[in-house]
């Protein structure tokens, strides 16, 4: 796979919504708009984030795991 293809598939920078609350000490889940659809990812954050809050993906830790931050209002 070409590096350009990998970046096109990356969820980093995408906006999502929390579907399972993210505690500060463990994972939750987010639904992220990517590749013309929505995909669920296991998500971690430095702070707890409640259900239905909007987030931005800031890093990818695996194919199905991401680091997110609360989207600024």
């Amino acid at each position: 796979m070409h590096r350009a293809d990998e970046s096109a598939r990356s969820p980093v920078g995408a906006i999502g919504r929390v579907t399972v609350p993210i505690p500060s000490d463990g994972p939750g889940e987010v639904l992220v708009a990517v590749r013309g659809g929505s995909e669920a990812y296991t998500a971690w954050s430095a702070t707890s984030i409640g259900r239905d809050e909007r987030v931005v993906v800031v890093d990818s830790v695996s194919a199905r795991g991401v680091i997110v931050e609360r989207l600024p209002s």
Side-chain angles (χ1 to χ4, degrees):
M1 184 180 286
H2 294 97
R3 190 170 294 266
D5 293 339
E6 291 174 12
S7 64
R9 300 178 64 90
S10 172
V12 175
I15 304 299
R17 184 169 302 278
V18 176
T19 55
V20 174
I22 304 169
S24 58
D25 62 348
E29 185 179 86
V30 294
L31 194 58
V32 179
V34 289
R35 295 183 280 284
S38 295
E39 295 187 27
Y41 290 87
T42 302
W44 288 265
S45 175
T47 60
S48 61
I49 303 176
R51 186 170 191 231
D52 291 327
E53 290 197 54
R54 292 181 56 182
V55 294
V56 61
V57 177
V58 295
D59 198 6
S60 178
V61 295
S62 70
R64 304 303 312 163
V66 295
I67 305 294
V68 299
E69 291 180 357
R70 188 176 281 110
L71 193 64
S73 298

